Amino acid sequence: MEESKPGNEHDAPYPDRKKIIQEAYNSGYLDWPRTTSLDDIARRFSISKPTALLHIRNAEKKILSCFIARH
């Protein structure tokens, strides 16, 4: 399911956040050293780099919040 957010990416629908996070994970963006760039991920989904980073950071924040709450 695609979502649309007014005022973002010229009001065009953007890919499901989960797909962006999966791509970041599977393509090596979260590895050290990285084997892909934020630019590559953004290009694959036709979104801006800041939008791609927003999705990745929000996912990281949710995961860390759950981890911290449990420990």
Side-chain angles (χ1 to χ4, degrees):
M1 178 177 183
E2 290 187 348
E3 297 179 274
S4 181
K5 187 172 184 180
N8 194 12
E9 297 298 320
H10 309 288
D11 295 334
Y14 53 86
D16 182 31
R17 290 179 181 110
K18 184 177 179 181
K19 290 180 182 176
I20 296 168
I21 303 311
Q22 286 175 324
E23 180 65 25
Y25 181 82
N26 292 332
S27 66
Y29 180 77
L30 301 174
D31 294 344
W32 187 260
R34 289 187 170 129
T35 56
T36 194
S37 69
L38 185 60
D39 195 43
D40 292 335
I41 294 168
R43 217 172 314 153
R44 287 179 192 136
F45 292 97
S46 300
I47 59 176
S48 69
K49 286 171 44 175
T51 298
L53 185 58
L54 174 68
H55 293 309
I56 294 167
R57 293 252 175 111
N58 284 343
E60 290 171 337
K61 185 176 181 178
K62 286 180 184 180
I63 292 165
L64 287 172
S65 293
C66 289
F67 177 80
I68 290 168
R70 291 182 185 186
H71 291 88

